[in-house]
Amino acid sequence: DTAVSQTPKYLVTQMGNDKSIKCEQNLGHDTMYWYKQDSKKFLKIMFSYNNKELIINETVPNRFSPKSPDKAHLNLHINSLELGDSAVYFCASSQVRRGQTRGYTFGSGTRLTVV
Amino acid sequence: AQSVTQPDIHITVSEGASLELRCNYSYGATPYLFWYVQSPGQGLQLLLKYFSGDTLVQGIKGFEAEFKRSQSSFNLRKPSVHWSDAAEYFCAVGFTSGTYKYIFGTGTRLKVLA
């Protein structure tokens, strides 16, 4: 199926650990994103990559490091996890034309719980 | 500054009733406008979008939205709500301000009474 798939769906880990979330899209889109959704459902952009190049890097702790090995993959690595990192992380992709996107396709999310 | 507002945090309607979810934006020109739905435990799904042309746009699942430039609004409507429509709804705007930006509203949670 054509989709944005991210793994794992659930991640429970202790404070101080390092973890990664993987994302892959087979839609042929050139731009991928990571969003964080907090407990109040607020969606905040974290990173955006266009053809493997970082184009958006919002105010995110440098414990968060995205990696895009190719334009179909965008992984998120988090070092030294903190309680406040608990949230749902969404990967998304889109095709950008003339500087605009016509809508995102989202993955189903990774619920991260730091204990 | 550019922004998008969804004034209603929660809305409750009875099954079969009509629905309107509000979305207002602040931007000097006409942005690209979107509505997404998020079912529990799921990612966001694009319902519909407006770029230009006819101000009434049709989307999936029987939803429609109307762009009103004079009110800077893009409200989502459905004539008859089904219990399966219970979800979180997000309005989003895309615009160019130096670089391309895409902002989500804070969401409206829809509850449907049987």
Side-chain angles (χ1 to χ4, degrees):
Chain A
D1 289 345
T2 55
V4 177
S5 58
Q6 53 183 110
T7 56
K9 191 170 176 63
Y10 300 97
L11 186 53
V12 181
T13 187
Q14 291 185 325
M15 276 195 303
N17 284 351
D18 303 338
K19 291 293 178 186
S20 292
I21 308 172
K22 295 185 176 182
C23 180
E24 175 182 5
Q25 58 95 3
N26 60 4
L27 298 163
H29 289 166
D30 61 1
T31 306
M32 296 184 71
Y33 312 83
W34 277 110
Y35 277 83
K36 180 180 180 181
Q37 187 175 48
D38 62 22
S39 58
K40 294 184 178 178
K41 300 291 187 180
F42 181 67
L43 277 160
K44 181 176 169 57
I45 182 73
M46 300 175 70
F47 302 103
S48 173
Y49 271 74
N50 177 265
N51 285 317
K52 302 195 301 176
E53 181 182 347
L54 181 66
I55 57 171
I56 293 176
N57 183 359
E58 294 295 315
T59 306
V60 175
N62 58 15
R63 299 182 293 103
F64 291 78
S65 54
K67 280 194 171 50
S68 182
D70 55 60
K71 73 174 191 177
H73 295 83
L74 180 61
N75 303 323
L76 183 65
H77 188 75
I78 315 170
N79 288 327
S80 303
L81 278 155
E82 301 177 357
L83 292 177
D85 297 331
S86 295
V88 181
Y89 292 84
F90 285 101
C91 179
S93 71
S94 74
Q95 185 65 29
V96 176
R97 290 196 181 91
R98 292 194 291 274
Q100 295 273 13
T101 181
R102 296 197 160 228
Y104 287 13
T105 302
F106 279 84
S108 56
T110 296
R111 182 174 294 275
L112 172 65
T113 303
V114 183
V115 298
Chain B
Q2 299 86 359
S3 65
V4 56
T5 303
Q6 293 180 246
D8 304 305
I9 299 174
H10 297 281
I11 282 189
T12 301
V13 299
S14 297
E15 191 169 20
S18 63
L19 171 70
E20 183 168 28
L21 302 182
R22 296 184 289 165
C23 174
N24 294 94
Y25 66 89
S26 173
Y27 181 55
T30 299
Y32 283 14
L33 297 158
F34 307 82
W35 274 101
Y36 290 84
V37 60
Q38 184 181 22
S39 298
Q42 300 296 316
L44 281 73
Q45 181 183 20
L46 182 64
L47 281 176
L48 46 76
K49 55 197 173 190
Y50 173 79
F51 302 135
S52 64
D54 191 347
T55 56
L56 184 63
V57 293
Q58 302 297 321
I60 62 171
K61 305 186 181 192
F63 285 91
E64 65 178 27
E66 185 172 13
F67 168 59
K68 292 186 177 179
R69 185 189 309 273
S70 61
Q71 297 176 18
S72 296
S73 69
F74 188 57
N75 294 349
L76 182 72
R77 301 195 294 248
K78 187 168 185 178
S80 177
V81 170
H82 187 262
W83 64 266
S84 60
D85 293 324
E88 192 90 22
Y89 291 81
F90 291 91
C91 180
V93 298
F95 54 90
T96 302
S97 177
T99 59
Y100 181 75
K101 296 186 186 299
Y102 202 89
I103 299 177
F104 284 90
T106 50
T108 297
R109 177 162 294 181
L110 174 65
K111 183 177 179 180
V112 179
L113 301 177

